Amino acid sequence: MTRTERPRSDAATTTLDKAADENFPVAPFFLPRAWRDDLMAVYGFARLVDDIGDGDLAPGGDDARRLGLDPGQGEDRLAMLDALEADLHRVFSTGGEPLHPLMRALGPTARRRALTPEPFLALVEANRQDQKVRRYGTYADLLAYCELSANPVGRLVLQITGTASPERIRRSDAVCTALQIAEHLQDVAEDLGRDRVYLPAEDMARFHVGEGDLAAPSAGAAVRALIAFEAERARELLDEGIPLVGSVHGRLRLLLAGFVGGGRAALGAVSAAGFDVLPGPPKPTAPGLLREVGAVLRRAHRKG
């Protein structure tokens, strides 16, 4: 441990350890150490805010205490999000040191990469929306949600790596939205258990799918057709990311190929399950992920 590193708290370690369960590599070993550290700092915030919004914090109220709340308030998601936002403002001000260890870790990254609070605030707002909006009427409504919940992460990656441009941001947004949709498709049953449905109501009506169909042990033909339709939409968005991969070089190209390939592998797992996502989230295999990353790199080379 260097002199500038702080020992992690149990809460921070639990949150960061979830990186291994994502559909895409968060901060792989082949990146420069400075990039890895900064990407993990951003991931720590994104994972923490999602865990607050989903009620997936470690028991015991440690995160609440570290945000300046009573441990018993750890179950109050809106209070926790408010406290996290207040701690976020400490990261971007000189008015005092952030309280939560993951927020303290974010401070050096924000200063080193000249980050602004807006992408982080959007992630907080997305999780507030999750507490109030449980259904999405149209695909456009879902895209607007992804603009808050997913796209800021890709923009932060581009900022950290010094490669942001309007065209890259546009294509990054498409990839991040696709990754969010792919995750929603994997987690249909889990989300329904949280009283959330991210399948647009207009699409459910088109395929004659009701919420009762989503609660079944396995998917019928109508649900499978709906999931296949949404998966193809996500795949088309991922394809928009191929030129993004081709526009960069070296290890960053491999990282972005990992994001796009991870999404493609997740959708491949959904397809391999016959689009029956109700028994549990279909997960890609490591060989499947590597094949997709290779395919993305080959296509990006041709387009680059």
Side-chain angles (χ1 to χ4, degrees):
M1 180 179 297
T2 67
R3 286 178 299 171
T4 58
E5 288 177 332
R6 298 173 182 266
R8 292 182 187 174
S9 71
D10 289 342
T13 300
T14 299
T15 300
L16 291 172
D17 285 347
K18 295 180 181 181
D21 297 327
E22 302 291 346
N23 282 328
F24 51 86
V26 173
F29 71 93
F30 57 79
L31 293 179
R33 175 63 184 269
W35 282 9
R36 295 202 312 270
D37 289 348
D38 289 340
L39 289 170
M40 283 304 295
V42 167
Y43 175 79
F45 174 85
R47 187 68 267 168
L48 177 60
V49 71
D50 279 354
D51 285 350
I52 291 173
D54 290 341
D56 286 340
L57 294 172
D62 188 43
D63 286 294
R65 180 176 58 80
R66 290 181 177 277
L67 286 171
L69 299 178
D70 185 275
Q73 291 181 277
E75 299 297 321
D76 186 336
R77 300 181 192 181
L78 289 174
M80 287 287 289
L81 290 170
D82 287 346
L84 182 65
E85 183 174 308
D87 215 27
L88 178 64
H89 286 299
R90 296 185 190 99
V91 171
F92 289 95
S93 74
T94 57
E97 186 177 25
L99 303 178
H100 197 285
L102 290 173
M103 306 300 286
R104 290 198 295 271
L106 182 60
T109 291
R111 291 187 291 273
R112 186 162 47 242
R113 305 299 179 182
L115 303 182
T116 62
E118 284 75 18
F120 301 98
L121 291 170
L123 295 174
V124 174
E125 190 56 35
N127 280 274
R128 283 201 185 98
Q129 186 167 312
D130 274 333
Q131 312 313 310
K132 304 169 186 175
V133 180
R134 303 285 181 166
R135 306 291 187 275
Y136 291 85
T138 68
Y139 184 59
D141 293 337
L142 183 63
L143 293 182
Y145 168 73
C146 293
E147 180 71 21
L148 295 173
S149 67
N151 299 0
V153 177
R155 296 182 180 204
L156 286 166
V157 170
L158 294 177
Q159 186 70 25
I160 285 171
T161 57
T163 54
S165 71
E167 177 64 9
R168 285 179 178 146
I169 288 171
R170 184 181 72 80
R171 293 190 181 278
S172 171
D173 286 353
V175 171
C176 291
T177 290
L179 290 172
Q180 181 79 87
I181 292 173
E183 183 177 338
H184 288 161
L185 296 181
Q186 290 173 299
D187 294 340
V188 167
E190 179 181 330
D191 288 335
L192 186 64
R194 301 179 192 271
D195 191 28
R196 297 177 186 166
V197 178
Y198 293 103
L199 299 167
E202 64 181 5
D203 297 341
M204 292 177 64
R206 173 181 174 182
F207 286 89
H208 306 289
V209 171
E211 290 191 21
D213 299 311
L214 302 181
S218 62
V223 171
R224 291 174 189 245
L226 171 60
I227 298 300
F229 174 74
E230 304 296 354
E232 182 57 29
R233 275 178 158 170
R235 188 172 294 278
E236 290 173 359
L237 287 171
L238 286 174
D239 284 346
E240 292 187 36
I242 301 294
L244 170 65
V245 177
S247 75
V248 299
H249 302 281
R251 288 176 283 187
L252 179 57
R253 177 177 286 199
L254 188 54
L255 175 66
L256 298 185
F259 294 161
V260 178
R264 287 168 58 94
L267 294 174
V270 170
S271 177
F275 302 102
D276 184 3
V277 296
L278 300 187
K283 294 293 186 180
T285 63
L289 173 60
L290 291 175
R291 282 194 301 271
E292 292 292 354
V293 171
V296 169
L297 287 170
R298 288 191 295 273
R299 291 180 61 187
H301 179 73
R302 291 195 295 268
K303 292 177 179 291

